[in-house]
Amino acid sequence: MHGDLTFQDMYNNMELLEDEDDDSDWEPVAEPVEMISWFCTNCTMVNLGDIAHCDLCGEHKTSGILKHGFLASSKFPQEDSHIDGKIEANGNVIGFQQSALSSPTAVGFDERMLLHSEIEMKSHPHPERPDRLRAIAASLATAGIFPGRCQAIAAREITREELERVHSVEHIQTVDFTANIFSSYFTPDTYANEHSARAARLAAGLCADLASAIFSGRAKNGFALVRPPGHHAGVKQAMGFCLHNNAAVAALAAQVAGAKRVLIVDWDVHHGNGTQEIFDDNKSVGSKGAEGYCVNIPWSCGGVGDNDYIFAFQHVVLPIATEFAPDFTIISAGFDAARGDPLGHCDVTPVGYAQMTDMLSNISGGKLLVILEGGYNLRSISSSATAVIKVLLGENPSAEVADIAPSRAGLQTVMEVLKIQKDFWPGVGASLTQLQSLWEGFSSAEKGHKMRRRAEAPVWWKWGRKRLLYHHFITRHLRAKRKREQK
C-alpha cells in the first residue's frame, strides 16, 4: 500500500506509516543540539561552529584589535600579545617615521562617545558600534601617535545656539528627548539610548572647536575621532546612523572664526545627503542659487579602488577646489570604501586614503580638518585613519600618483561629471577634452578585445571534427554584424 502513496499522501497519513515494531538502533535526540556561533569583533559577521578565525575577514575571534588596533595580529588571540611590528620602549612602532612640527596636529576624542550604543539585542550587531572608536584609538596609542605626537583638545558639548545654525529646533529637541528613553529609534537603522544625545553634542562640539583652533592657527590641522557620525543628518531629521551633522557644524564654526569659503570633501562611500541639504542655499559651501557648488561623483559599480578615487581627485576634486579657492577644508572621512568593509564593498587602501589626504593638504593653506564618518571593518578603519593622521603630521605617502590608470567605469563616471561641471567650472574643460581622447582609446581596445574573444574557439574544436561548423558559425556571425553596421 505504501508504494502507491504520494509524498502528500504520506504527509497527510503519517500515523499509517508508523511501525510499532521498529527495532532499529536509532533514537531521536532528546534535546536539540546547541549550535556554537560567535560574531567577529572586526567585521561583525556571524560564524558558525567552533572555528578560531572569521570566515569572512580571517580575524581571530579573540584577537587583540581592541587593545592594539590594526597593529595587533589578526591570526593570534589577544593573550598572546602579538603585535605586527616591534614596539620601542617609548611606545612608537619601529618604521613609523617621526617628524617635529612647530604647529601640532590636534585630535578630538572623548570616551563618553563610547556610551552611544544599540541597546536592543538583534540577530546581528549594529555596524556603527563603540568598538570603531576603540580600535582607532588603540592603533594611535600603540603607534605612539595619540597620545604622543598630537595634541588633545578639551571636549565640550555643542550649545543649542550653535546647533540651530544647522538644524531645526524640532530636530534638536527630538534628539535631546532620547536622553529620557532607555532605547529608541529615529529610523529602523538609526538608534539612540539615554547617552546618545550627549554623545552627539560632544561630537559636534569637538568638531566646532577643532575648526576654530585650526582656522585661528592654534593648531596646524586636526582629526575628529568622533561618533555618532553626521553626514546623513539633515536639517530636520536623523538618519543613516547620524544624529547631528558634524561637518556642517564645523564649517559654520570656521566661518564664525573668519573663513569666507569652506570646502567639504566627503569621500564616504555613501552620499552625504544631509550635508548637501543643509548647504543648499549657501554659496560659500553649498549648491542651489549657485549651481556647481555641490559636486557629486556617483560610482556606477562596486569594487572601486585607489586608482579610480585618486583619478577622480586629479581630474575633478582638485581642479574645482583650486578654482573655488577655499579658506578652510573639511574631509568627511568615511572609511567604508576601504578594502574589507562589510557595507561599502569597495577596495580603497590606507595608502589610497593617505594619498587623497596629501592631495588636499595644500588647499586652503593647509587648514584641514578630517572628521570621522562611516567605516565598519575595524582593521580597515584603524589602519586607514592612522595613515591619514600620519599625513597630517607631515609624513609623505609611500606611493606616487603620477600615472594613475582608471578603470573603464571610473573613467566614464569622471567624464560624465566633467560634462556637467564644465559649465560652472571652466578650468575642467581641458581635462574633459584630454579624457575624451583616452575614452576613445578605451573603446577601441575593448572593441578589438571583444572581437577577438568572439572569434576565438578551443583548438580542439577548430581543428577537430567540428572545424567546418566553427568556420560556418564565424562567417555567419561576421556577415550579420556587417549588415547591422550598414543600417
Side-chain angles (χ1 to χ4, degrees):
M1 182 184 73
H2 293 173
D4 297 326
L5 293 177
T6 66
F7 284 115
Q8 186 65 41
D9 293 333
M10 294 178 184
Y11 178 81
N12 293 331
N13 299 277
M14 289 297 293
E15 67 279 0
L16 299 178
L17 303 178
E18 294 179 357
D19 189 349
E20 296 180 357
D21 298 327
D22 183 9
D23 60 351
S24 68
D25 293 331
W26 180 84
E27 290 291 340
V29 179
E31 296 182 359
V33 177
E34 181 180 358
M35 176 63 73
I36 300 174
S37 66
W38 54 277
F39 292 104
C40 177
T41 302
N42 180 52
C43 71
T44 76
M45 289 295 114
V46 64
N47 291 270
L48 301 177
D50 190 18
I51 58 175
H53 295 87
C54 176
D55 276 334
L56 181 65
C57 70
E59 192 79 17
H60 194 280
K61 65 179 179 180
T62 61
S63 80
I65 192 167
L66 296 181
K67 183 177 181 181
H68 297 297
F70 77 97
L71 294 166
S73 172
S74 63
K75 301 177 182 179
F76 302 98
Q78 176 176 327
E79 54 266 24
D80 287 358
S81 301
H82 186 88
I83 305 298
D84 288 339
K86 185 177 178 181
I87 307 296
E88 293 179 327
N90 62 4
N92 294 323
V93 178
I94 292 179
F96 276 55
Q97 178 185 351
Q98 303 294 308
S99 63
L101 298 175
S102 58
S103 183
T105 294
V107 172
F109 174 69
D110 191 285
E111 289 187 348
R112 288 174 289 179
M113 292 182 290
L114 300 175
L115 297 176
H116 168 64
S117 62
E118 186 176 43
I119 299 297
E120 182 179 340
M121 294 300 295
K122 296 188 176 181
S123 60
H124 193 277
H126 199 288
E128 205 297 284
R129 58 208 191 277
D131 285 350
R132 299 173 63 241
L133 293 196
R134 292 190 180 104
I136 297 174
S139 298
L140 298 177
T142 302
I145 293 175
F146 178 76
R149 298 168 61 190
C150 301
Q151 69 171 14
I153 68 164
R156 71 170 178 91
E157 296 180 32
I158 198 78
T159 66
R160 174 70 66 88
E161 179 184 3
E162 290 172 294
L163 280 179
E164 288 179 359
R165 298 176 191 151
V166 173
H167 297 292
S168 67
V169 173
E170 293 77 14
H171 169 80
I172 298 168
Q173 291 174 342
T174 300
V175 173
D176 286 346
F177 186 74
T178 63
N180 303 309
I181 307 174
F182 182 67
S183 176
S184 58
Y185 287 83
F186 297 97
T187 67
D189 66 358
T190 305
Y191 63 80
N193 65 17
E194 56 190 330
H195 305 290
S196 299
R198 171 175 285 183
R201 291 193 300 269
L202 285 167
L206 282 165
C207 291
D209 288 353
L210 279 166
S212 299
I214 294 167
F215 189 79
S216 65
R218 288 179 283 120
K220 179 182 179 181
N221 48 43
F223 190 98
L225 183 54
V226 297
R227 61 180 295 272
H231 72 146
H232 292 308
V235 175
K236 298 180 179 179
Q237 73 284 337
M239 64 176 293
F241 314 164
C242 303
L243 305 191
H244 295 321
N245 196 302
N246 301 318
V249 168
L252 294 182
Q255 291 188 328
V256 169
K260 302 300 181 184
R261 292 171 173 259
V262 178
L263 171 69
I264 301 177
V265 177
D266 189 334
W267 68 39
D268 190 286
V269 77
H270 302 103
H271 176 218
N273 58 293
T275 307
Q276 179 171 337
E277 178 198 353
I278 289 167
F279 292 114
D280 263 350
D281 297 314
N282 190 328
K283 293 182 180 181
S284 63
V285 181
S287 55
K288 280 186 182 175
E291 287 81 2
Y293 279 73
C294 181
V295 181
N296 287 301
I297 304 175
W299 299 125
S300 61
C301 60
V304 181
D306 291 355
N307 281 12
D308 282 342
Y309 266 83
I310 293 172
F311 187 79
F313 263 60
Q314 290 174 329
H315 294 278
V316 179
V317 178
L318 288 185
I320 292 178
T322 301
E323 197 166 343
F324 179 59
D327 304 302
F328 191 76
T329 299
I330 296 170
I331 299 176
S332 271
F335 295 111
D336 45 6
R339 178 177 296 171
D341 190 272
L343 298 188
H345 304 294
C346 287
D347 198 37
V348 181
T349 69
V351 173
Y353 284 116
Q355 290 288 0
M356 290 188 285
T357 305
D358 185 62
M359 295 169 79
L360 291 170
S361 62
N362 292 323
I363 303 292
S364 359
K367 297 182 183 298
L368 175 62
L369 170 60
V370 182
I371 300 175
L372 180 66
E373 297 285 1
Y376 309 103
N377 178 303
L378 302 190
R379 193 165 288 277
S380 297
I381 62 171
S382 58
S383 58
S384 299
T386 301
V388 166
I389 295 175
K390 290 170 67 179
V391 172
L392 297 181
L393 286 166
E395 297 188 20
N396 294 321
S398 58
E400 297 295 330
V401 298
D403 298 319
I404 292 296
S407 68
R408 185 183 189 279
L411 174 59
Q412 185 174 19
T413 295
V414 168
M415 287 178 58
E416 289 172 352
V417 172
L418 292 179
K419 287 176 184 176
I420 297 171
Q421 297 301 328
K422 64 181 176 59
D423 295 332
F424 311 109
W425 305 99
V428 303
S431 182
L432 176 59
T433 301
Q434 176 189 355
L435 295 187
Q436 285 172 332
S437 299
L438 182 59
W439 174 256
E440 292 174 0
F442 257 98
S443 300
S444 298
E446 186 179 61
K447 185 176 180 181
H449 175 70
K450 286 183 177 180
M451 187 63 192
R452 289 191 300 273
R453 185 172 58 193
R454 287 172 180 163
E456 288 299 322
V459 172
W460 60 265
W461 195 38
K462 280 193 287 186
W463 306 116
R465 293 192 308 151
K466 294 179 178 162
R467 176 168 55 91
L468 295 178
L469 179 62
Y470 165 75
H471 284 292
H472 171 72
F473 170 78
I474 291 297
T475 302
R476 188 175 63 176
H477 171 74
L478 294 176
R479 285 175 180 171
K481 184 174 183 297
R482 282 196 293 268
K483 286 181 179 179
R484 290 195 301 268
E485 292 175 346
Q486 291 170 358
K487 291 181 179 180

